[in-house]
Short mmCIF file of all heavy atoms in Angstrom, two decimals:
data_model
loop_
_atom_site.label_atom_id
_atom_site.label_comp_id
_atom_site.label_asym_id
_atom_site.label_seq_id
_atom_site.Cartn_x
_atom_site.Cartn_y
_atom_site.Cartn_z
N MET A 1 -21.03 200.53 241.74
CA MET A 1 -20.49 201.83 241.68
C MET A 1 -19.99 202.14 240.20
O MET A 1 -19.48 201.21 239.48
CB MET A 1 -19.13 202.02 242.53
CG MET A 1 -18.60 203.31 242.59
SD MET A 1 -17.31 203.44 243.71
CE MET A 1 -16.76 205.17 243.37
N GLU A 2 -20.27 203.20 239.65
CA GLU A 2 -19.91 203.58 238.34
C GLU A 2 -18.64 204.36 238.25
O GLU A 2 -18.27 205.25 239.03
CB GLU A 2 -20.98 204.42 237.74
CG GLU A 2 -22.21 203.57 237.29
CD GLU A 2 -23.17 204.43 236.44
OE1 GLU A 2 -23.26 205.66 236.67
OE2 GLU A 2 -23.91 203.91 235.51
N LYS A 3 -17.79 203.95 237.33
CA LYS A 3 -16.54 204.61 237.06
C LYS A 3 -16.60 205.47 235.76
O LYS A 3 -17.27 205.01 234.80
CB LYS A 3 -15.51 203.47 236.77
CG LYS A 3 -14.11 203.84 237.21
CD LYS A 3 -13.24 202.53 237.21
CE LYS A 3 -11.90 202.79 236.46
NZ LYS A 3 -11.14 201.61 236.32
N ILE A 4 -15.98 206.64 235.81
CA ILE A 4 -16.04 207.53 234.67
C ILE A 4 -14.94 207.08 233.70
O ILE A 4 -13.80 207.02 234.02
CB ILE A 4 -15.80 208.97 235.20
CG1 ILE A 4 -16.82 209.30 236.20
CG2 ILE A 4 -15.76 209.90 233.94
CD1 ILE A 4 -16.44 210.56 236.95
N ILE A 5 -15.41 206.88 232.48
CA ILE A 5 -14.40 206.58 231.37
C ILE A 5 -14.07 207.88 230.62
O ILE A 5 -12.95 208.01 230.27
CB ILE A 5 -15.14 205.54 230.28
CG1 ILE A 5 -15.44 204.27 231.11
CG2 ILE A 5 -14.03 205.31 229.21
CD1 ILE A 5 -14.26 203.49 231.76
N ARG A 6 -15.11 208.61 230.32
CA ARG A 6 -14.89 209.88 229.61
C ARG A 6 -15.84 210.94 230.31
O ARG A 6 -17.01 210.71 230.38
CB ARG A 6 -15.24 209.75 228.15
CG ARG A 6 -14.22 208.89 227.38
CD ARG A 6 -14.48 208.90 225.89
NE ARG A 6 -14.01 210.11 225.23
CZ ARG A 6 -14.48 210.57 224.08
NH1 ARG A 6 -15.48 210.05 223.46
NH2 ARG A 6 -14.00 211.71 223.62
N ASN A 7 -15.21 212.04 230.46
CA ASN A 7 -16.01 213.18 231.02
C ASN A 7 -16.04 214.32 229.98
O ASN A 7 -15.21 215.07 229.72
CB ASN A 7 -15.20 213.75 232.29
CG ASN A 7 -15.85 214.82 232.95
OD1 ASN A 7 -16.80 215.46 232.48
ND2 ASN A 7 -15.34 215.12 234.17
N VAL A 8 -17.24 214.18 229.13
CA VAL A 8 -17.33 214.97 227.95
C VAL A 8 -18.78 215.51 227.71
O VAL A 8 -19.80 214.75 227.98
CB VAL A 8 -16.75 214.24 226.75
CG1 VAL A 8 -17.25 212.78 226.65
CG2 VAL A 8 -17.00 214.87 225.43
N ILE A 9 -18.93 216.75 227.28
CA ILE A 9 -20.27 217.29 226.92
C ILE A 9 -19.99 217.98 225.43
O ILE A 9 -19.00 218.26 225.09
CB ILE A 9 -20.70 218.20 227.92
CG1 ILE A 9 -19.89 219.51 228.10
CG2 ILE A 9 -21.00 217.63 229.24
CD1 ILE A 9 -20.43 220.61 228.89
N ARG A 10 -21.21 218.32 224.98
CA ARG A 10 -21.21 219.09 223.72
C ARG A 10 -22.10 220.23 223.83
O ARG A 10 -23.22 220.13 224.36
CB ARG A 10 -21.84 218.26 222.53
CG ARG A 10 -21.69 218.98 221.23
CD ARG A 10 -22.17 218.07 220.02
NE ARG A 10 -23.60 217.96 220.11
CZ ARG A 10 -24.63 218.75 219.55
NH1 ARG A 10 -24.10 219.80 219.00
NH2 ARG A 10 -25.74 218.58 219.70
N CYS A 11 -21.52 221.53 223.67
CA CYS A 11 -22.20 222.69 223.70
C CYS A 11 -23.29 222.75 222.72
O CYS A 11 -23.09 222.58 221.50
CB CYS A 11 -21.30 223.91 223.70
SG CYS A 11 -22.12 225.45 223.77
N LYS A 12 -24.59 223.07 223.07
CA LYS A 12 -25.57 223.13 222.11
C LYS A 12 -25.69 224.43 221.35
O LYS A 12 -26.21 224.63 220.35
CB LYS A 12 -27.01 222.88 222.83
CG LYS A 12 -27.26 221.48 223.25
CD LYS A 12 -28.64 221.46 223.82
CE LYS A 12 -29.00 219.92 224.25
NZ LYS A 12 -30.17 219.93 224.97
N ASN A 13 -24.89 225.41 221.89
CA ASN A 13 -24.84 226.70 221.28
C ASN A 13 -23.84 226.73 220.27
O ASN A 13 -24.15 227.15 219.16
CB ASN A 13 -24.54 227.85 222.40
CG ASN A 13 -24.60 229.25 221.87
OD1 ASN A 13 -25.67 229.49 221.27
ND2 ASN A 13 -23.65 229.98 221.99
N CYS A 14 -22.56 226.31 220.54
CA CYS A 14 -21.43 226.52 219.47
C CYS A 14 -21.14 225.08 218.98
O CYS A 14 -20.35 225.03 217.91
CB CYS A 14 -20.23 227.13 220.10
SG CYS A 14 -19.46 226.24 221.34
N GLY A 15 -21.74 223.92 219.43
CA GLY A 15 -21.39 222.71 218.92
C GLY A 15 -19.97 222.15 219.26
O GLY A 15 -19.55 221.08 218.90
N ASP A 16 -19.33 222.91 220.11
CA ASP A 16 -18.02 222.46 220.62
C ASP A 16 -18.11 221.23 221.47
O ASP A 16 -19.02 221.15 222.33
CB ASP A 16 -17.32 223.58 221.36
CG ASP A 16 -15.87 223.69 221.09
OD1 ASP A 16 -15.38 222.94 220.24
OD2 ASP A 16 -15.28 224.62 221.72
N ILE A 17 -17.30 220.20 221.34
CA ILE A 17 -17.26 219.11 222.18
C ILE A 17 -15.97 219.13 223.04
O ILE A 17 -14.86 219.30 222.61
CB ILE A 17 -17.16 217.77 221.38
CG1 ILE A 17 -18.53 217.53 220.61
CG2 ILE A 17 -16.89 216.54 222.31
CD1 ILE A 17 -18.49 216.37 219.69
N ILE A 18 -16.17 219.20 224.34
CA ILE A 18 -15.12 219.53 225.32
C ILE A 18 -15.02 218.29 226.30
O ILE A 18 -16.09 217.62 226.73
CB ILE A 18 -15.24 220.80 226.03
CG1 ILE A 18 -16.72 220.93 226.64
CG2 ILE A 18 -14.97 221.95 225.11
CD1 ILE A 18 -16.86 222.17 227.46
N GLU A 19 -13.75 217.98 226.62
CA GLU A 19 -13.59 216.77 227.42
C GLU A 19 -12.56 217.26 228.62
O GLU A 19 -11.58 217.76 228.40
CB GLU A 19 -12.99 215.69 226.63
CG GLU A 19 -12.60 214.51 227.45
CD GLU A 19 -12.31 213.22 226.61
OE1 GLU A 19 -12.10 213.43 225.49
OE2 GLU A 19 -12.08 212.19 227.19
N SER A 20 -12.93 216.82 229.79
CA SER A 20 -11.99 217.04 230.93
C SER A 20 -11.15 215.77 231.10
O SER A 20 -11.83 214.61 231.38
CB SER A 20 -12.78 217.32 232.14
OG SER A 20 -11.84 217.40 233.24
N LYS A 21 -9.89 215.70 230.78
CA LYS A 21 -9.11 214.48 230.80
C LYS A 21 -8.54 214.10 232.12
O LYS A 21 -8.20 212.89 232.28
CB LYS A 21 -8.03 214.55 229.75
CG LYS A 21 -8.63 214.59 228.36
CD LYS A 21 -7.71 214.84 227.21
CE LYS A 21 -8.47 214.66 225.89
NZ LYS A 21 -7.85 215.55 224.95
N TYR A 22 -8.29 215.04 232.96
CA TYR A 22 -7.77 214.70 234.37
C TYR A 22 -8.31 215.59 235.35
O TYR A 22 -8.92 216.58 234.99
CB TYR A 22 -6.27 214.63 234.29
CG TYR A 22 -5.65 215.91 233.69
CD1 TYR A 22 -5.46 217.05 234.47
CD2 TYR A 22 -5.43 215.93 232.37
CE1 TYR A 22 -4.97 218.15 233.92
CE2 TYR A 22 -4.95 217.22 231.78
CZ TYR A 22 -4.66 218.22 232.58
OH TYR A 22 -4.14 219.45 231.93
N THR A 23 -8.15 215.31 236.72
CA THR A 23 -8.61 216.09 237.76
C THR A 23 -8.13 217.60 237.52
O THR A 23 -6.99 217.73 237.41
CB THR A 23 -8.25 215.54 239.13
OG1 THR A 23 -8.29 214.12 239.05
CG2 THR A 23 -8.94 216.13 240.23
N HIS A 24 -9.03 218.51 237.81
CA HIS A 24 -8.69 219.95 237.67
C HIS A 24 -8.34 220.32 236.17
O HIS A 24 -7.80 221.43 236.01
CB HIS A 24 -7.54 220.40 238.69
CG HIS A 24 -7.81 219.99 239.97
ND1 HIS A 24 -8.96 220.26 240.66
CD2 HIS A 24 -7.01 219.31 240.86
CE1 HIS A 24 -8.86 219.82 241.89
NE2 HIS A 24 -7.77 219.22 242.20
N ASP A 25 -8.73 219.48 235.22
CA ASP A 25 -8.57 219.91 233.85
C ASP A 25 -9.86 220.55 233.49
O ASP A 25 -10.89 219.93 233.14
CB ASP A 25 -8.40 218.67 232.96
CG ASP A 25 -8.23 219.04 231.52
OD1 ASP A 25 -7.79 220.10 231.23
OD2 ASP A 25 -8.50 218.18 230.70
N PHE A 26 -9.91 221.89 233.62
CA PHE A 26 -11.10 222.70 233.43
C PHE A 26 -11.15 223.27 232.02
O PHE A 26 -10.33 223.92 231.60
CB PHE A 26 -11.11 223.88 234.45
CG PHE A 26 -12.43 224.68 234.48
CD1 PHE A 26 -13.38 224.31 235.36
CD2 PHE A 26 -12.53 225.81 233.69
CE1 PHE A 26 -14.62 224.99 235.36
CE2 PHE A 26 -13.81 226.45 233.61
CZ PHE A 26 -14.74 226.11 234.57
N VAL A 27 -12.13 222.70 231.20
CA VAL A 27 -12.15 223.10 229.86
C VAL A 27 -13.46 223.75 229.48
O VAL A 27 -14.57 223.43 229.92
CB VAL A 27 -12.13 221.80 228.95
CG1 VAL A 27 -11.96 222.14 227.47
CG2 VAL A 27 -11.01 220.93 229.37
N THR A 28 -13.37 224.92 228.77
CA THR A 28 -14.53 225.65 228.40
C THR A 28 -14.79 225.67 226.90
O THR A 28 -13.64 225.70 226.26
CB THR A 28 -14.40 227.18 228.92
OG1 THR A 28 -14.14 227.17 230.28
CG2 THR A 28 -15.65 227.99 228.68
N CYS A 29 -15.99 225.63 226.57
CA CYS A 29 -16.24 225.60 224.95
C CYS A 29 -15.92 226.96 224.38
O CYS A 29 -15.66 227.91 225.16
CB CYS A 29 -17.67 225.20 224.68
SG CYS A 29 -18.84 226.46 225.12
N LYS A 30 -15.95 227.15 223.05
CA LYS A 30 -15.41 228.36 222.48
C LYS A 30 -16.36 229.52 222.78
O LYS A 30 -15.95 230.65 222.76
CB LYS A 30 -15.10 228.27 221.01
CG LYS A 30 -15.60 227.09 220.23
CD LYS A 30 -15.34 227.21 218.78
CE LYS A 30 -16.46 226.46 217.94
NZ LYS A 30 -15.94 225.56 216.96
N CYS A 31 -17.66 229.28 222.88
CA CYS A 31 -18.55 230.37 223.06
C CYS A 31 -18.61 230.73 224.63
O CYS A 31 -19.17 231.82 224.97
CB CYS A 31 -19.95 230.15 222.56
SG CYS A 31 -20.98 228.92 223.55
N GLY A 32 -18.08 229.88 225.40
CA GLY A 32 -17.98 230.09 226.87
C GLY A 32 -19.30 229.91 227.66
O GLY A 32 -19.34 230.27 228.88
N ARG A 33 -20.22 229.17 226.98
CA ARG A 33 -21.40 228.88 227.76
C ARG A 33 -21.42 227.80 228.74
O ARG A 33 -22.03 227.78 229.75
CB ARG A 33 -22.52 228.66 226.64
CG ARG A 33 -23.90 228.69 227.28
CD ARG A 33 -24.95 228.58 226.20
NE ARG A 33 -25.20 229.79 225.56
CZ ARG A 33 -26.52 230.07 224.99
NH1 ARG A 33 -27.34 229.10 224.92
NH2 ARG A 33 -26.80 231.12 224.55
N CYS A 34 -20.58 226.81 228.54
CA CYS A 34 -20.46 225.69 229.27
C CYS A 34 -19.04 225.13 229.46
O CYS A 34 -18.23 225.31 228.61
CB CYS A 34 -21.45 224.53 229.00
SG CYS A 34 -21.47 224.18 227.21
N SER A 35 -18.76 224.46 230.67
CA SER A 35 -17.40 223.99 230.90
C SER A 35 -17.52 222.66 231.57
O SER A 35 -18.46 222.30 232.25
CB SER A 35 -16.70 224.94 231.86
OG SER A 35 -16.92 226.26 231.42
N VAL A 36 -16.43 221.87 231.51
CA VAL A 36 -16.30 220.65 232.26
C VAL A 36 -15.11 220.59 233.11
O VAL A 36 -14.12 221.38 232.82
CB VAL A 36 -16.33 219.33 231.31
CG1 VAL A 36 -17.56 219.08 230.61
CG2 VAL A 36 -15.17 219.57 230.25
N ASP A 37 -15.11 219.80 234.17
CA ASP A 37 -14.04 219.67 235.19
C ASP A 37 -14.02 218.32 235.83
O ASP A 37 -15.07 217.75 235.82
CB ASP A 37 -14.09 220.89 236.00
CG ASP A 37 -12.92 220.98 236.97
OD1 ASP A 37 -11.84 220.41 236.56
OD2 ASP A 37 -12.94 221.60 238.03
N GLY A 38 -12.96 217.97 236.35
CA GLY A 38 -12.90 216.70 237.19
C GLY A 38 -12.44 215.53 236.56
O GLY A 38 -12.06 214.55 237.30
N GLY A 39 -12.13 215.42 235.32
CA GLY A 39 -11.57 214.30 234.68
C GLY A 39 -12.30 213.05 234.95
O GLY A 39 -13.49 213.03 234.81
N LYS A 40 -11.55 211.95 235.47
CA LYS A 40 -12.15 210.65 235.75
C LYS A 40 -12.55 210.57 237.20
O LYS A 40 -12.97 209.53 237.69
CB LYS A 40 -11.22 209.61 235.25
CG LYS A 40 -11.26 209.48 233.65
CD LYS A 40 -10.20 208.66 233.12
CE LYS A 40 -10.19 208.83 231.58
NZ LYS A 40 -9.11 208.27 231.07
N ASP A 41 -12.33 211.67 238.00
CA ASP A 41 -12.69 211.49 239.53
C ASP A 41 -14.01 212.02 239.68
O ASP A 41 -14.79 211.43 240.56
CB ASP A 41 -11.65 212.36 240.18
CG ASP A 41 -10.20 211.60 240.20
OD1 ASP A 41 -10.23 210.51 240.09
OD2 ASP A 41 -9.30 212.45 240.44
N TYR A 42 -14.46 213.08 239.11
CA TYR A 42 -15.80 213.58 239.34
C TYR A 42 -16.30 214.40 238.11
O TYR A 42 -15.53 214.78 237.33
CB TYR A 42 -15.90 214.39 240.65
CG TYR A 42 -14.98 215.61 240.62
CD1 TYR A 42 -15.45 216.93 240.14
CD2 TYR A 42 -13.60 215.45 241.00
CE1 TYR A 42 -14.53 217.96 240.15
CE2 TYR A 42 -12.76 216.57 241.04
CZ TYR A 42 -13.21 217.69 240.53
OH TYR A 42 -12.41 218.83 240.51
N LEU A 43 -17.60 214.47 238.01
CA LEU A 43 -18.25 215.25 236.91
C LEU A 43 -18.63 216.71 237.43
O LEU A 43 -19.44 216.69 238.27
CB LEU A 43 -19.42 214.53 236.41
CG LEU A 43 -19.21 213.17 235.82
CD1 LEU A 43 -20.58 212.61 235.28
CD2 LEU A 43 -18.25 213.23 234.59
N ARG A 44 -18.09 217.65 236.94
CA ARG A 44 -18.41 219.04 237.35
C ARG A 44 -18.80 219.77 236.05
O ARG A 44 -18.01 219.70 235.09
CB ARG A 44 -17.32 219.75 238.11
CG ARG A 44 -17.70 221.06 238.66
CD ARG A 44 -16.64 221.68 239.41
NE ARG A 44 -17.07 223.06 239.63
CZ ARG A 44 -16.20 224.18 239.58
NH1 ARG A 44 -14.96 223.97 239.39
NH2 ARG A 44 -16.58 225.41 239.84
N ARG A 45 -19.93 220.41 236.04
CA ARG A 45 -20.39 221.21 234.91
C ARG A 45 -20.65 222.61 235.34
O ARG A 45 -21.20 222.81 236.33
CB ARG A 45 -21.63 220.61 234.25
CG ARG A 45 -21.43 219.48 233.29
CD ARG A 45 -21.38 218.20 233.95
NE ARG A 45 -21.18 217.06 233.15
CZ ARG A 45 -19.96 216.72 232.73
NH1 ARG A 45 -18.99 217.18 233.29
NH2 ARG A 45 -19.93 215.72 231.93
N CYS A 46 -20.19 223.47 234.48
CA CYS A 46 -20.54 224.86 234.69
C CYS A 46 -21.31 225.39 233.40
O CYS A 46 -20.94 225.01 232.27
CB CYS A 46 -19.40 225.78 234.82
SG CYS A 46 -18.38 225.43 236.33
N PHE A 47 -22.38 226.06 233.58
CA PHE A 47 -23.12 226.48 232.41
C PHE A 47 -23.85 227.89 232.81
O PHE A 47 -23.95 228.31 233.96
CB PHE A 47 -24.31 225.47 232.15
CG PHE A 47 -24.95 224.98 233.33
CD1 PHE A 47 -26.02 225.68 233.78
CD2 PHE A 47 -24.50 223.76 233.85
CE1 PHE A 47 -26.73 225.11 234.95
CE2 PHE A 47 -25.24 223.25 235.04
CZ PHE A 47 -26.34 223.96 235.49
N LYS A 48 -24.13 228.54 231.70
CA LYS A 48 -24.68 229.90 231.87
C LYS A 48 -26.13 230.00 232.26
O LYS A 48 -26.55 230.62 233.12
CB LYS A 48 -24.40 230.71 230.55
CG LYS A 48 -23.40 231.82 230.76
CD LYS A 48 -23.22 232.70 229.64
CE LYS A 48 -22.02 233.55 229.85
NZ LYS A 48 -21.23 233.91 228.64
N ASN A 49 -26.92 229.14 231.61
CA ASN A 49 -28.33 229.15 231.81
C ASN A 49 -28.81 227.96 232.52
O ASN A 49 -29.32 228.06 233.65
CB ASN A 49 -29.15 229.41 230.45
CG ASN A 49 -28.67 230.65 229.80
OD1 ASN A 49 -28.63 231.70 230.35
ND2 ASN A 49 -28.24 230.55 228.55
N SER A 50 -28.75 226.91 231.88
CA SER A 50 -29.26 225.63 232.51
C SER A 50 -28.59 224.39 231.94
O SER A 50 -27.71 224.55 231.01
CB SER A 50 -30.84 225.47 232.18
OG SER A 50 -31.00 225.23 230.84
N THR A 51 -28.96 223.31 232.43
CA THR A 51 -28.29 221.96 231.93
C THR A 51 -28.80 221.75 230.37
O THR A 51 -28.28 220.92 229.63
CB THR A 51 -28.73 220.76 232.64
OG1 THR A 51 -30.08 220.70 232.79
CG2 THR A 51 -28.16 220.84 233.97
N ASP A 52 -29.76 222.56 229.82
CA ASP A 52 -30.11 222.56 228.47
C ASP A 52 -29.08 223.18 227.52
O ASP A 52 -29.14 223.06 226.33
CB ASP A 52 -31.41 223.22 228.29
CG ASP A 52 -32.63 222.40 228.59
OD1 ASP A 52 -32.45 221.12 228.74
OD2 ASP A 52 -33.66 222.92 228.88
N ASP A 53 -28.11 223.77 228.21
CA ASP A 53 -26.97 224.48 227.44
C ASP A 53 -26.07 223.43 226.74
O ASP A 53 -25.30 223.63 225.78
CB ASP A 53 -26.07 225.29 228.26
CG ASP A 53 -26.82 226.55 228.67
OD1 ASP A 53 -27.89 226.88 228.11
OD2 ASP A 53 -26.20 227.36 229.48
N TYR A 54 -26.09 222.28 227.28
CA TYR A 54 -25.06 221.19 226.75
C TYR A 54 -25.82 219.84 226.66
O TYR A 54 -26.78 219.58 227.26
CB TYR A 54 -23.88 221.13 227.64
CG TYR A 54 -24.18 220.59 228.97
CD1 TYR A 54 -24.31 219.28 229.36
CD2 TYR A 54 -24.38 221.54 230.06
CE1 TYR A 54 -24.52 218.87 230.66
CE2 TYR A 54 -24.67 221.24 231.38
CZ TYR A 54 -24.75 219.75 231.71
OH TYR A 54 -24.86 219.51 232.85
N GLU A 55 -25.23 218.92 225.89
CA GLU A 55 -25.61 217.59 225.69
C GLU A 55 -24.56 216.64 226.42
O GLU A 55 -23.43 216.77 226.07
CB GLU A 55 -25.69 217.20 224.21
CG GLU A 55 -26.19 215.85 223.95
CD GLU A 55 -26.11 215.53 222.49
OE1 GLU A 55 -26.02 216.53 221.59
OE2 GLU A 55 -26.22 214.31 222.11
N GLU A 56 -25.02 215.84 227.31
CA GLU A 56 -24.15 215.01 228.10
C GLU A 56 -23.59 213.87 227.19
O GLU A 56 -24.50 213.13 226.58
CB GLU A 56 -24.92 214.39 229.27
CG GLU A 56 -24.11 213.70 230.34
CD GLU A 56 -22.95 214.51 230.87
OE1 GLU A 56 -23.23 215.48 231.61
OE2 GLU A 56 -21.84 214.23 230.67
N LEU A 57 -22.41 213.77 227.04
CA LEU A 57 -21.71 212.67 226.26
C LEU A 57 -20.79 211.72 227.02
O LEU A 57 -20.10 210.93 226.52
CB LEU A 57 -20.99 213.18 225.04
CG LEU A 57 -21.78 214.01 224.04
CD1 LEU A 57 -20.84 214.61 223.03
CD2 LEU A 57 -22.86 213.23 223.33
N SER A 58 -20.79 211.92 228.39
CA SER A 58 -19.94 211.15 229.14
C SER A 58 -20.22 209.61 229.10
O SER A 58 -21.31 209.14 228.92
CB SER A 58 -20.10 211.62 230.71
OG SER A 58 -19.52 212.91 230.78
N GLU A 59 -19.16 208.86 229.30
CA GLU A 59 -19.31 207.41 229.36
C GLU A 59 -18.83 206.89 230.72
O GLU A 59 -17.86 207.34 231.30
CB GLU A 59 -18.33 206.84 228.24
CG GLU A 59 -18.79 207.18 226.85
CD GLU A 59 -17.88 206.65 225.81
OE1 GLU A 59 -17.04 205.76 225.96
OE2 GLU A 59 -17.74 207.32 224.76
N PHE A 60 -19.71 205.81 231.15
CA PHE A 60 -19.37 205.21 232.40
C PHE A 60 -19.26 203.68 232.31
O PHE A 60 -19.77 203.15 231.33
CB PHE A 60 -20.64 205.52 233.40
CG PHE A 60 -20.92 207.10 233.52
CD1 PHE A 60 -21.85 207.58 232.79
CD2 PHE A 60 -20.26 207.71 234.56
CE1 PHE A 60 -22.12 208.81 232.85
CE2 PHE A 60 -20.50 208.95 234.72
CZ PHE A 60 -21.51 209.72 233.91
N VAL A 61 -18.67 203.08 233.26
CA VAL A 61 -18.69 201.59 233.23
C VAL A 61 -19.02 201.18 234.69
O VAL A 61 -18.56 201.83 235.67
CB VAL A 61 -17.36 200.98 232.74
CG1 VAL A 61 -16.19 201.17 233.74
CG2 VAL A 61 -17.56 199.59 232.44
N GLU A 62 -19.69 200.15 234.79
CA GLU A 62 -20.05 199.48 236.15
C GLU A 62 -18.72 198.99 236.71
O GLU A 62 -18.06 198.08 236.04
CB GLU A 62 -21.05 198.52 236.00
CG GLU A 62 -21.69 198.09 237.28
CD GLU A 62 -22.52 199.11 238.03
OE1 GLU A 62 -23.19 200.00 237.20
OE2 GLU A 62 -22.61 199.27 239.13
N ASP A 63 -18.27 199.47 237.83
CA ASP A 63 -17.04 199.01 238.49
C ASP A 63 -17.29 197.82 239.46
O ASP A 63 -17.65 198.13 240.53
CB ASP A 63 -16.31 200.10 239.04
CG ASP A 63 -14.88 199.72 239.56
OD1 ASP A 63 -14.49 198.64 239.27
OD2 ASP A 63 -14.26 200.64 240.12
N ASN A 64 -17.07 196.63 239.04
CA ASN A 64 -17.39 195.46 239.89
C ASN A 64 -16.14 194.90 240.63
O ASN A 64 -16.25 193.99 241.44
CB ASN A 64 -17.93 194.26 239.03
CG ASN A 64 -19.35 194.74 238.53
OD1 ASN A 64 -20.09 195.23 239.10
ND2 ASN A 64 -19.49 194.29 237.17
N ASN A 65 -14.95 195.66 240.34
CA ASN A 65 -13.80 195.16 240.93
C ASN A 65 -13.61 195.66 242.41
O ASN A 65 -12.74 195.09 243.15
CB ASN A 65 -12.54 195.48 240.13
CG ASN A 65 -12.64 194.78 238.80
OD1 ASN A 65 -13.03 193.69 238.67
ND2 ASN A 65 -12.03 195.49 237.71
N LYS A 66 -14.41 196.75 242.63
CA LYS A 66 -14.26 197.29 243.94
C LYS A 66 -14.90 196.33 245.11
O LYS A 66 -15.90 195.80 244.94
CB LYS A 66 -15.00 198.64 244.04
CG LYS A 66 -14.07 199.76 243.53
CD LYS A 66 -14.23 201.01 244.52
CE LYS A 66 -13.04 201.94 244.30
NZ LYS A 66 -13.28 203.01 243.47
N LYS A 67 -14.26 196.37 246.20
CA LYS A 67 -14.71 195.50 247.40
C LYS A 67 -15.96 196.01 247.90
O LYS A 67 -16.07 197.24 248.25
CB LYS A 67 -13.59 195.43 248.44
CG LYS A 67 -13.30 194.07 248.88
CD LYS A 67 -12.16 194.04 249.83
CE LYS A 67 -12.55 194.37 251.28
NZ LYS A 67 -11.45 194.40 252.19
N SER A 68 -16.97 195.24 247.92
CA SER A 68 -18.29 195.66 248.71
C SER A 68 -18.15 195.64 250.19
O SER A 68 -17.39 194.90 250.71
CB SER A 68 -19.40 194.97 248.07
OG SER A 68 -19.35 193.62 248.53
N GLU A 69 -18.99 196.42 250.75
CA GLU A 69 -18.91 196.56 252.16
C GLU A 69 -19.60 195.37 252.94
O GLU A 69 -19.37 195.23 254.15
CB GLU A 69 -19.61 197.86 252.60
CG GLU A 69 -18.81 199.10 252.22
CD GLU A 69 -17.49 199.24 252.99
OE1 GLU A 69 -17.55 199.02 254.13
OE2 GLU A 69 -16.59 199.51 252.20
N ASP A 70 -20.44 194.59 252.34
CA ASP A 70 -21.11 193.54 252.98
C ASP A 70 -20.16 192.25 253.02
O ASP A 70 -20.20 191.47 253.86
CB ASP A 70 -22.49 193.14 252.42
CG ASP A 70 -22.43 193.04 250.81
OD1 ASP A 70 -21.59 192.09 250.46
OD2 ASP A 70 -23.13 193.70 250.17
ZN1 ZN B 101 -20.39 226.78 223.37
#
């Protein structure tokens, strides 16, 4: 299972780097083309046209501390 370390993207239109730091921290870039949300709980992206609007910069780590089901 992957754990979110940083929830961050860069807008390809205005070059703004935006990061959602906690759950329900909804951040929009300065041109308004894309947004991030969810902090370290989930990755939510909003964009005007497509996923080509932004560059994904999020960081993950493999979470081995979680108890497995088997
Ligand atoms: Zn932008």
Side-chain angles (χ1 to χ4, degrees):
M1 184 174 175
E2 281 189 329
K3 209 169 130 187
I4 302 162
I5 301 297
R6 292 185 78 203
N7 186 345
V8 47
I9 62 172
R10 186 177 69 86
C11 176
K12 286 184 182 172
N13 187 53
C14 66
D16 221 3
I17 293 172
I18 48 174
E19 179 174 4
S20 177
K21 291 180 177 148
Y22 49 88
T23 316
H24 306 310
D25 182 24
F26 190 87
V27 189
T28 306
C29 73
K30 20 177 207 229
C31 76
R33 195 175 269 202
C34 41
S35 316
V36 287
D37 187 20
K40 286 165 187 170
D41 288 336
Y42 57 93
L43 298 178
R44 185 174 169 222
R45 274 87 182 91
C46 292
F47 44 84
K48 252 186 184 143
N49 303 309
S50 72
T51 51
D52 280 342
D53 284 354
Y54 62 86
E55 183 187 341
E56 188 62 62
L57 298 174
S58 292
E59 291 172 30
F60 306 91
V61 73
E62 194 69 32
D63 190 0
N64 294 319
N65 294 328
K66 275 229 161 96
K67 225 173 91 181
S68 65
E69 291 295 314
D70 52 57

